[in-house]
Amino acid sequence: MDEGHTGVYEDALCRVREIGESAGIEAEVIESLLRPRQVLTCSLPVRMDDGSVNYFTGYRCQYNDVLGPTKGGIRFHPDVTDEEVKALALWMTLKCALVGLPFGGAKGGVVVQPKALSPMELERLSRAYVRAMADFIGPQVDIPAPDVYTNARIMGWMMDEYEAIRRVRSPGVITGKPVRLGGSLGREEATGRGAYICIRELAKRKGWQPDQIRVAVQGFGNAAYHVARLLARDGYKVVAISDSKGGIYSEQGFDIESLWQEKQKSRQVRAVYCEQSVCQLVEHKEISNEELLALDVDLLIPAALEGVIHSGNVESVRASTLVEVANGPVEAEAEHWLDEQGITVVPDVLANAGGVTVSYFEWVQNRTGYPWSLEQVRERLETQMGEAFDRVWHLSQTEARTLRGAAYSVALRRIGEAVTAHGTREYFGGQDG
């Protein structure tokens, strides 16, 4: 295969066209998803600690709101582009439709290296973003949430700034907030737990014995940690973990809690085993992220950024199953090769939908003023994700589709029902009685 990447947004549109047409989705529905509803680009002036002013570019895309107010995270990353934000917002549109949430899709981002900012500079940037977006977002219009390099504290700052501008208490404007500011219990673990539920459901259908399954996880952020932790708890052998700097491998597997503890302390992925506060190095091999993707494992979990598996490296993938915890980690052209090899791919619009699902739960709690217990959140996430996986699996079996094809078909049909309810060419042309 030729090396190279397609544009991430064009790649996303390609899949919508291809899967929509093969599933018999009405052309008007597909057409409605080939362009965003609106995109706002802004320049954010931030006073730095040395007294100077730096300008950062911010984006917010509201892609499609036919099912409800738009919903999607905000990422702080040096590689954010308008094309990436539109692709992420499109995927969020499909994700919300797939799991049955009354939301459309959105996404936001700021072009910044957040690790280079002081805590006070980060707060000023977060508040500047909301000032620029204050007329664009709202609890019944567009509800942001955390994403790459943003977190609960940043969401708290953003909510506070929005409330100061509007002069009204409005906890539902942002999800993923600190619990004491109206956040939901279980939100921090939600994306990883949702992926874990999908893997557990897949294991039932494939007849897996957890202690026989070797797992490699690319990425070690919040979502990756929680899915790895839950899998290890069930007996899966997590043999490789990586972050942006590289990874580690051990055939014996790792103690995930110890790795996470060391990551929080040293900001490095290091192979250690910790007994309370005492940690010791364990035997391991250092590997690159590319080497991790090519490991001979049963389950590969790309949980970093989009486009990491592409036409230039897909033929090195040896895992029999991929679960996309990151958004768009497998490019469309690369997935054709995976399908030909019989490699199962659980798509991002299903596998990482736990985060937006619990964000929806948080939004509901904010609107009713009635907080849920952690047990309630987990039970409802189990139900929502389990039903979504079952629906996708059933369709993949009855219509001989890949799991992505089935997931997109479910989402597109739901969006299609909403579009049809407003009237399509058949109705207005007099062909629909």
Side-chain angles (χ1 to χ4, degrees):
M1 301 179 71
D2 295 332
E3 291 193 13
H5 304 256
T6 59
V8 62
Y9 182 50
E10 184 54 44
D11 198 67
L13 294 178
C14 174
R15 277 189 171 132
V16 169
R17 290 192 198 97
E18 184 178 301
I19 296 173
E21 290 170 2
S22 70
I25 303 299
E26 194 170 342
E28 191 167 326
V29 176
I30 298 173
E31 188 69 21
S32 73
L33 291 169
L34 298 184
R35 57 193 57 78
R37 180 174 177 271
Q38 53 186 347
V39 182
L40 177 60
T41 303
C42 55
S43 179
L44 308 175
V46 175
R47 181 74 63 183
M48 309 303 284
D49 290 345
D50 65 1
S52 64
V53 175
N54 280 4
Y55 292 85
F56 301 90
T57 301
Y59 301 103
R60 186 71 183 171
C61 172
Q62 297 169 359
Y63 203 90
N64 184 288
D65 64 353
V66 69
L67 292 177
T70 54
K71 184 85 187 72
I74 300 167
R75 61 176 49 184
F76 287 177
H77 195 276
D79 297 330
V80 168
T81 66
D82 61 338
E83 293 294 298
E84 177 192 53
V85 168
K86 287 189 288 187
L88 292 164
L90 171 54
W91 290 326
M92 184 60 81
T93 301
L94 298 171
K95 193 181 305 180
C96 291
L98 172 61
V99 294
L101 305 181
F103 287 143
K107 209 72 176 186
V110 177
V111 184
V112 60
Q113 175 49 269
K115 295 177 182 179
L117 300 184
S118 72
M120 292 185 69
E121 290 169 342
L122 190 61
E123 180 182 6
R124 293 183 202 116
L125 175 63
S126 302
R127 292 179 180 276
Y129 182 84
V130 172
R131 286 196 297 274
M133 299 290 170
D135 293 329
F136 205 61
I137 64 174
Q140 296 179 344
V141 180
D142 178 21
I143 306 106
D147 199 83
V148 176
Y149 291 132
T150 55
N151 55 28
R153 177 176 284 108
I154 290 172
M155 295 304 106
W157 290 333
M158 290 185 172
M159 181 191 73
D160 183 66
E161 189 68 22
Y162 181 85
E163 291 180 338
I165 293 168
R166 294 296 185 190
R167 296 181 180 275
V168 64
R169 295 292 291 176
S170 186
V173 70
I174 298 275
T175 61
K177 307 177 295 293
V179 172
R180 293 303 173 203
L181 297 180
S184 175
L185 295 170
R187 176 61 184 87
E188 186 173 329
E189 66 173 29
T191 302
R193 183 172 285 274
Y196 161 75
I197 293 168
C198 289
I199 294 168
R200 194 187 60 204
E201 293 299 314
L202 183 67
K204 292 177 186 176
R205 291 158 175 83
K206 286 182 172 284
W208 284 353
Q209 296 299 318
D211 61 355
Q212 301 298 312
I213 303 298
R214 293 162 302 139
V215 183
V217 183
Q218 189 207 32
F220 203 41
N222 185 60
Y225 159 62
H226 283 291
V227 70
R229 174 182 65 84
L230 291 166
L231 290 174
R233 184 196 66 180
D234 284 358
Y236 288 80
K237 188 181 293 185
V238 182
V239 299
I241 290 278
S242 72
D243 65 6
S244 59
K245 300 173 185 175
I248 52 177
Y249 170 83
S250 171
E251 188 60 36
Q252 305 308 311
F254 295 112
D255 177 68
I256 302 303
E257 291 291 357
S258 293
L259 296 187
W260 184 251
Q261 182 177 325
E262 179 65 19
K263 170 75 172 176
Q264 303 316 296
K265 184 171 65 176
S266 68
R267 299 298 176 187
Q268 296 178 12
V269 173
R270 295 203 302 169
V272 297
Y273 178 78
C274 299
E275 192 71 44
Q276 295 182 343
S277 61
V278 179
C279 298
Q280 63 182 36
L281 286 173
V282 299
E283 187 175 346
H284 68 279
K285 177 183 177 184
E286 293 187 359
I287 59 174
S288 67
N289 273 289
E290 281 293 314
E291 289 172 323
L292 183 144
L293 296 173
L295 288 174
D296 184 11
V297 294
D298 304 292
L299 174 59
L300 174 62
I301 302 177
L305 294 172
E306 61 270 3
V308 296
I309 298 175
H310 48 82
S311 58
N313 67 1
V314 66
E315 291 186 8
S316 66
V317 172
R318 292 192 283 172
S320 58
T321 301
L322 274 70
V323 176
E324 295 183 323
V325 173
N327 288 304
V330 179
E331 291 188 351
E333 185 180 348
E335 189 163 11
H336 289 311
W337 187 88
L338 296 175
D339 293 342
E340 291 169 1
Q341 306 307 308
I343 295 172
T344 300
V345 178
V346 181
D348 50 359
V349 293
L350 174 60
N352 68 23
V356 70
T357 300
V358 176
S359 275
Y360 166 63
F361 296 164
E362 181 177 332
W363 182 73
V364 169
Q365 292 170 72
N366 292 155
R367 288 172 65 85
T368 61
Y370 183 77
W372 301 353
S373 68
L374 180 59
E375 291 71 23
Q376 287 175 305
V377 171
R378 286 177 173 174
E379 286 173 7
R380 291 172 180 179
L381 179 63
E382 287 270 353
T383 299
Q384 200 102 11
M385 292 297 298
E387 290 178 352
F389 187 94
D390 187 64
R391 194 175 298 111
V392 169
W393 182 267
H394 178 74
L395 188 62
S396 75
Q397 300 301 299
T398 57
E399 296 190 7
R401 297 186 178 279
T402 65
L403 291 179
R404 190 184 308 277
Y408 273 50
S409 295
V410 171
L412 290 171
R413 287 169 186 173
R414 284 180 168 167
I415 293 169
E417 289 169 1
V419 171
T420 301
H422 286 293
T424 61
R425 177 181 178 181
E426 283 72 18
Y427 172 78
F428 291 110
Q431 300 170 37
D432 184 353

